[in-house]
C-alpha cells in the first residue's frame, strides 16, 4: 500500500471525477460530500507524502512497472511532495467555499474541479517531459471549463483569449519537446540530464533552442512579463473558488522551470549549464515593475488581487533567477505563503462583492455592508499577509528573499521588491477604506454569510500565522529541498540506478 | 524527402500562425488547427525519417523506425482534436453571447459605421 501512495494524488481525483460524472444530475448534497471528502483525503495523502519525502530519499513509481528511462514514472522528492500538499490544501479551502452555492450555478463543477486537481498533481509528480505535457493539457482543459462556469460576457471573452493563447502555448510545448527528443533521444528528465552531460558539440544548438522554447511555454504558464497579459482579465472574471484555485496555476509554471532547469541544466551540463537563468532574472524584475504599476492602476478588487498575484510571480521568478541555494529555499517558503493567501483573498473578494450588491468588487463608494466589521477584519489580515507586513508570513518570506540576494542582485531586487510592497499597501488600503469606511446608505438586511464560505476563507488565512509559528520547520524543509535540487545526481541515481546509469 | 517534409511543415505553421493572429474567431480556430497539424508532422519527424523501417525490432533489420514519436503523435492528435472541438464550441458561444465574432469582443467596423451614421444624422439636424 505504502509503495502505491505516490500515485494516489493522481488516481484519487480521477476516480472521484468519474463517480461525479455518473451523478452529474444527481443530488447536490451527495456531490458536495463526495468532493469535499475526496479533497480532504488528498490533504491527508499529501501530508503522508511530505513525511515520506522528508527522509531525503527520492522514490519513483513506475507505471505498469516499466522501469525508467523506458516507462513513464512519477517521482516523489521534497519539492513535488511540497507542491502536492500546497495544491490540495488550497483546493480544500476552495471546494468548501464553493459548496456555499457557487457550485450549482453551472453543471458538474465538482467533477471538473477534481479533474483540475488531477492535472495539477500529475504535473507536480511526473518525471517525464511528454507526460508533463499531457498533465498540462488535462489541467488546462479542466480550467477552460471552470473559467466558464456560470457563464457571462466577461468570462466568455476572457476565456476566448485564455484558450487561444494556451492552445498556441501547447503547440510550442510540443515543438520544444520534439526538438529535445530529437537531440537527446529521451523524454525522461533524469535520463535527459545524463545525456546532456556528454552531448556531442554539434547538437548543443538544437538542445538550446528546444530548452529556451520550453522556457517560453513555462513562462506563459507562470505569467512572466511579455506573456502575462491574459492573467488579470481571466482571474478577475473567473468564479471565486476557481480564481483561488488558479492561484496555484502560475506556480505550476514556476515549478516546471525550477524542476526542469535545475535537473537538466545543472552544473553537469557543461556549456549549457544554467541555461536561461539570465533571461528569467531580468524578466522577473520587469514583471515586478509591470505588476506594481498594475496594482496601482486597478479599479476592481479582483483585478487588484490578480496583479498582487503577478507581484508574487515576479518575486518567485527572481528567486529562480538568482539561482543560489539560499534563494531557492527562500522562494519555496514565499511560494507556500503567497499561494494560500492569494487564494484566500480571491475568496474574500467574492464575499465582499456579494454584500455590496450592484457595486460589486469595483473600488467605488457603495452601500453599507451588513457584516462589514468581521469582513473588514478578515480583509485586514489578508491584506497584511499578502503585502508582506509583519507579523504574518509575507514579511518573513520577503525578508528571506531579500537576504538571499547577493552582490549586485541586491541593488536591483531590494528597491523593486520594497516598492512593489509599498504599492500593494497603498492600493489595498485605498480599496479597504473605500469598501468599509466610505460606504453609506443601504438597507439593513441581515443576510447571513454562509458558514461554508467562512470555513474556506479561514482555512486558507490561518495558514499564514501557522507559517510564522512553524517558520523554523518550514524553512528547514525548504532549505533541504533547495539542497536536494542543487544536487541533481541524487535524483538521477535514484531513477536510473537499476539500469546502470543508462548510457 | 527531408526537404519536402521540412517545407510542408514550415508552410503549414506559417499559415497557421498568420491565421491565429487574425481578428475573428473562425480564422483563429482554423489557424490553431493548421498549427497543430504542423506540430504533429514535426513530432512525427523528431525521431528521424526512415522509409520501410519496421516499428518493432525483428532481429535482422538494423534500420528501424523510432516507435516513440508515433506513440507521441497519436496522443498529440487526440488532445488536439479535443482542444479544437472545445475552441469551436467556445467561439460559437462567444458569437452568441457577444453578438459578434471578434476575438476581443468589439466589432470595430460596426462601431466605426455607427459613429459615421451618427455624424451624418447630426449634420442633417443642423
Amino acid at each position: 500500500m505504502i509503495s502505491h501512495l505516490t500515485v494516489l494524488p493522481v488516481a484519487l481525483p480521477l476516480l472521484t471525477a468519474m463517480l461525479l460524472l455518473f451523478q452529474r444530475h444527481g443530488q447536490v448534497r451527495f456531490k458536495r460530500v463526495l468532493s469535499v471528502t475526496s479533497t480532504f483525503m488528498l490533504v491527508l495523502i499529501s501530508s503522508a507524502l511530505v513525511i515520506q519525502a522528508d527522509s531525503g530519499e527520492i522514490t519513483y513509481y513506475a507505471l505498469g512497472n516499466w522501469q525508467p528511462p523506458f516507462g513513464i514514472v512519477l517521482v516523489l522528492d521534497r519539492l513535488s511532495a511540497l507542491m502536492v500538499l500546497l495544491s490540495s490544501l488550497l483546493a480544500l479551502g476552495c471546494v468548501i467555499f464553493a459548496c456555499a452555492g457557487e457550485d450549482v450555478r453551472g453543471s458538474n463543477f465538482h467533477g471538473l474541479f477534481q479533474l483540475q486537481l488531477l492535472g495539477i498533481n500529475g504535473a507536480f509528480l511526473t518525471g517525464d517531459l511528454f507526460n508533463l505535457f499531457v498533465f498540462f493539457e488535462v489541467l488546462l482543459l479542466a480550467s477552460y471549463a471552470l473559467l466558464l462556469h456560470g457563464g457571462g460576457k466577461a468570462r466568455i471573452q476572457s476565456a476566448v483569449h485564455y484558450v487561444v493563447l494556451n492552445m498556441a502555448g501547447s503547440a510550442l510545448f510540443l515543438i520544444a519537446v520534439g526538438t529535445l527528443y530529437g537531440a537527446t533521444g529521451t523524454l525522461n528528465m533524469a535520463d535527459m540530464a545524463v545525456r546532456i552531460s556528454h552531448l556531442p558539440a554539434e547538437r548543443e544548438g538544437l538542445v538550446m533552442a528546444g530548452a529556451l522554447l520550453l522556457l517560453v511555454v513555462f513562462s506563459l504558464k507562470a505569467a512572466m512579463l511579455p506573456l502575462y497579459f491574459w492573467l488579470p482579465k481571466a482571474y478577475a472574471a473567473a468564479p471565486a473558488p476557481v480564481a483561488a484555485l488558479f492561484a496555484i496555476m502560475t506556480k505550476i509554471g514556476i515549478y516546471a522551470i525550477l524542476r526542469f532547469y535545475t535537473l537538466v541544466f545543472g552544473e553537469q551540463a557543461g556549456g549549457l549549464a544554467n541555461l536561461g537563468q539570465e533571461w528569467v532574472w531580468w524578466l522577473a524584475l520587469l514583471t515586478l515593475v509591470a505588476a506594481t504599476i498594475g496594482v496601482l492602476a486597478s479599479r476592481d478588487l479582483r483585478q487588484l488581487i490578480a496583479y498582487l498575484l503577478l507581484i508574487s510571480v515576479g518575486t518567485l521568478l527572481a528567486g529562480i533567477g538568482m539561482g543560489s541555494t539560499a534563494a531557492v529555499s527562500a522562494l519555496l517558503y514565499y511560494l507556500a505563503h503567497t499561494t494560500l493567501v492569494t487564494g484566500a483573498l480571491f475568496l474574500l473578494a467574492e464575499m465582499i462583492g456579494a454584500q455590496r450588491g450592484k457595486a460589486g468588487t469595483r473600488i467605488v463608494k457603495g452601500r453599507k455592508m451588513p457584516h462589514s466589521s468581521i469582513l473588514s477584519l478578515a480583509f485586514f489580515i489578508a491584506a497584511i499577509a499578502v503585502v508582506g507586513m509583519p507579523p504574518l508570513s509575507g514579511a518573513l518570506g520577503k525578508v528571506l528573499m531579500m537576504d538571499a540576494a547577493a552582490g549586485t542582485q541586491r541593488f536591483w531586487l531590494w528597491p523593486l521588491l520594497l516598492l512593489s510592497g509599498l504599492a500593494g499597501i497603498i492600493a489595498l488600503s485605498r480599496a479597504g477604506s473605500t469598501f468599509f469606511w466610505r460606504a453609506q446608505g443601504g438597507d439593513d438586511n441581515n443576510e447571513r454569510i454562509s458558514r461554508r464560505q467562512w470555513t474556506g476563507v479561514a482555512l486558507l488565512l490561518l495558514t499564514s500565522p501557522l507559517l510564522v509559528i512553524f517558520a523554523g520547520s518550514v524553512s528547514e524543509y525548504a532549505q533541504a529541498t533547495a539542497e536536494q535540487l542543487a544536487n541533481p545526481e541524487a535524483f538521477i541515481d535514484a531513477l536510473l540506478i537499476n539500469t546502470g546509469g543508462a548510457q | 524527402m527531408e526537404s519536402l517534409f521540412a517545407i510542408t511543415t514550415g508552410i503549414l505553421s506559417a499559415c497557421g500562425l498568420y491565421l491565429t493572429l487574425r481578428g475573428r474567431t473562425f480564422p483563429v480556430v482554423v489557424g490553431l488547427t493548421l498549427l497543430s497539424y504542423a506540430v504533429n508532422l514535426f513530432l512525427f519527424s523528431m525521431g528521424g525519417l526512415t522509409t520501410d523501417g519496421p516499428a518493432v525490432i525483428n532481429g535482422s533489420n538494423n534500420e528501424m523506425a523510432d516507435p516513440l514519436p508515433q506513440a507521441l503523435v497519436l496522443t498529440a492528435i487526440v488532445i488536439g482534436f479535443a482542444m479544437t472541438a472545445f475552441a469551436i464550441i467556445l467561439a460559437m458561444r462567444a458569437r452568441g453571447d457577444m453578438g459578434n465574432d471578434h476575438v476581443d469582443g468589439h466589432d470595430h467596423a460596426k462601431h466605426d459605421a455607427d459613429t459615421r451614421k451618427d455624424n451624418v444624422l447630426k449634420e442633417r439636424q443642423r
Side-chain angles (χ1 to χ4, degrees):
Chain A
M1 183 59 205
I2 202 80
S3 62
H4 291 290
L5 203 60
T6 316
V7 80
L8 278 183
V10 182
L12 183 68
L14 180 64
L15 194 70
T16 315
M18 285 198 287
L19 282 177
L20 285 166
L21 209 55
F22 282 118
Q23 287 287 325
R24 210 152 70 87
H25 302 292
Q27 268 194 337
V28 179
R29 197 183 159 78
F30 170 78
K31 287 192 276 188
R32 284 177 180 169
V33 169
L34 183 61
S35 188
V36 172
T37 316
S38 160
T39 318
F40 184 68
M41 290 285 289
L42 210 56
V43 173
L44 295 185
I45 291 167
S46 46
S47 311
L49 286 180
V50 166
I51 294 168
Q52 191 187 330
D54 197 29
S55 66
E57 195 192 358
I58 297 171
T59 48
Y60 68 87
Y61 184 85
L63 292 156
N65 212 14
W66 285 84
Q67 291 306 308
F70 304 109
I72 291 168
V73 285
L74 299 179
V75 185
L76 180 78
D77 67 346
R78 284 200 175 97
L79 178 62
S80 50
L82 174 72
M83 296 305 289
V84 170
L85 177 64
L86 258 185
S87 77
S88 36
L89 263 181
L90 181 67
L92 185 62
C94 297
V95 83
I96 292 175
F97 185 93
C99 285
E102 189 71 45
D103 55 345
V104 288
R105 293 211 184 128
S107 68
N108 201 18
F109 174 86
H110 290 294
L112 288 167
F113 194 88
Q114 294 295 326
L115 285 175
Q116 168 103 51
L117 276 181
L118 154 74
I120 293 174
N121 289 342
F124 287 145
L125 284 170
T126 184
D128 181 281
L129 208 50
F130 193 78
N131 226 19
L132 185 66
F133 166 76
V134 174
F135 281 123
F136 265 38
E137 291 305 298
V138 171
L139 76 90
L140 281 175
L141 201 46
S143 78
Y144 299 157
L146 280 176
L147 179 58
L148 284 165
H149 179 79
K153 259 189 185 179
R155 278 177 200 164
I156 298 261
Q157 203 199 330
S158 61
V160 171
H161 295 181
Y162 180 68
V163 171
V164 169
L165 206 59
N166 275 305
M167 281 177 75
S170 304
L172 271 185
F173 198 155
L174 279 177
I175 294 174
V177 167
T179 315
L180 283 174
Y181 177 78
T184 61
T186 183
L187 285 168
N188 185 301
M189 290 191 219
D191 195 23
M192 192 176 281
V194 173
R195 293 193 187 205
I196 277 181
S197 59
H198 26 84
L199 190 76
E202 76 269 12
R203 288 199 181 167
E204 246 174 43
L206 211 54
V207 168
M208 200 192 242
L212 288 178
L213 213 52
L214 209 54
L215 187 65
V216 173
V217 180
F218 291 157
S219 24
L220 173 69
K221 301 281 181 286
M224 201 154 76
L225 175 72
L227 302 166
Y228 80 82
F229 297 100
W230 56 273
L231 186 139
K233 224 176 185 178
Y235 282 36
V242 178
L245 185 66
F246 279 10
I248 195 127
M249 295 265 279
T250 50
K251 276 67 181 184
I252 294 170
I254 288 164
Y255 163 83
I257 295 177
L258 203 57
R259 162 70 76 218
F260 185 72
Y261 291 90
T262 53
L263 176 61
V264 179
F265 298 104
E267 303 269 294
Q268 88 287 5
L272 291 171
N274 301 331
L275 182 73
Q277 205 167 335
E278 283 280 294
W279 284 100
V280 172
W281 166 248
W282 291 112
L283 288 174
L285 294 181
L286 286 175
T287 310
L288 262 180
V289 174
T292 307
I293 297 169
V295 161
L296 287 174
S298 299
R299 290 174 159 191
D300 187 292
L301 181 61
R302 301 170 60 121
Q303 202 182 13
L304 171 61
I305 301 167
Y307 275 109
L308 285 171
L309 186 70
L310 267 180
I311 287 188
S312 76
V313 167
T315 316
L316 294 171
L317 284 171
I320 296 180
M322 285 189 266
S324 61
T325 316
V328 172
S329 116
L331 107 84
L332 287 172
Y333 183 88
Y334 190 72
L335 189 143
H337 144 80
T338 184
T339 309
L340 296 168
V341 171
T342 319
L345 255 177
F346 271 120
L347 298 181
L348 210 53
E350 166 75 16
M351 290 160 77
I352 292 173
Q355 296 256 308
R356 276 161 53 89
K358 235 175 155 185
T361 51
R362 278 178 297 139
I363 306 174
V364 290
K365 248 194 278 187
R367 70 170 191 211
K368 236 183 219 146
M369 281 176 269
H371 299 279
S372 71
S373 50
I374 181 112
L375 270 178
S376 62
L377 183 70
F379 182 79
F380 182 65
I381 295 173
I384 281 190
V386 81
V387 297
M389 296 269 280
L392 291 181
S393 52
L396 221 55
K398 277 197 177 167
V399 167
L400 284 173
M401 282 305 284
M402 294 202 295
D403 189 45
T408 50
Q409 287 169 344
R410 280 192 183 179
F411 179 69
W412 290 102
L413 186 71
W414 283 31
L416 287 179
L417 202 56
L418 292 173
L419 275 179
S420 73
L422 179 66
I425 293 171
I426 293 172
L428 278 171
S429 54
R430 192 176 54 186
S433 54
T434 312
F435 284 153
F436 300 109
W437 293 341
R438 289 178 66 204
Q440 54 185 355
D443 38 356
D444 244 0
N445 65 332
N446 240 339
E447 200 182 319
R448 287 187 53 201
I449 299 180
S450 160
R451 203 172 288 162
R452 290 168 186 156
Q453 290 191 331
W454 273 123
T455 317
V457 172
L459 185 76
L460 296 183
L461 266 189
L462 259 183
T463 54
S464 185
L466 284 181
L467 272 174
V468 175
I469 295 170
F470 297 105
S473 42
V474 175
S475 60
E476 251 169 50
Y477 186 88
Q479 180 68 31
T481 312
E483 274 159 21
Q484 201 172 41
L485 280 176
N487 289 314
E489 289 83 16
F491 191 96
I492 294 164
D493 286 348
L495 255 79
L496 301 177
I497 200 83
N498 299 336
T499 51
Q503 290 304 306
Chain B
M1 188 170 73
E2 272 85 358
S3 55
L4 180 67
F5 203 94
I7 290 168
T8 314
T9 317
I11 290 177
L12 266 179
S13 41
C15 295
L17 198 62
Y18 174 75
L19 285 175
T20 309
L21 295 173
R22 303 291 293 172
R24 292 183 173 231
T25 44
F26 181 69
V28 169
V29 172
V30 175
L32 286 171
T33 318
L34 285 185
L35 208 56
S36 76
Y37 289 163
V39 168
N40 289 342
L41 278 179
F42 179 78
L43 266 188
F44 192 66
S45 70
M46 74 191 186
L49 292 172
T50 42
T51 34
D52 292 339
V56 181
I57 306 171
N58 57 5
S60 60
N61 206 332
N62 294 330
E63 182 79 7
M64 59 167 287
D66 192 342
L68 194 67
Q70 300 174 18
L72 298 186
V73 92
L74 213 59
T75 317
I77 288 172
V78 173
I79 292 176
F81 265 137
M83 290 292 175
T84 312
F86 185 85
I88 290 171
I89 295 297
L90 182 66
M92 283 169 65
R93 177 101 187 256
R95 168 75 182 79
D97 279 17
M98 320 255 246
N100 65 68
D101 61 349
H102 286 261
V103 174
D104 59 0
H106 302 292
D107 193 344
H108 296 290
K110 187 170 175 294
H111 179 77
D112 290 349
D114 284 351
T115 8
R116 230 174 290 136
K117 215 189 280 169
D118 284 353
N119 289 343
V120 172
L121 281 177
K122 271 180 205 157
E123 292 267 306
R124 272 190 205 155
Q125 276 168 3
R126 228 178 272 159

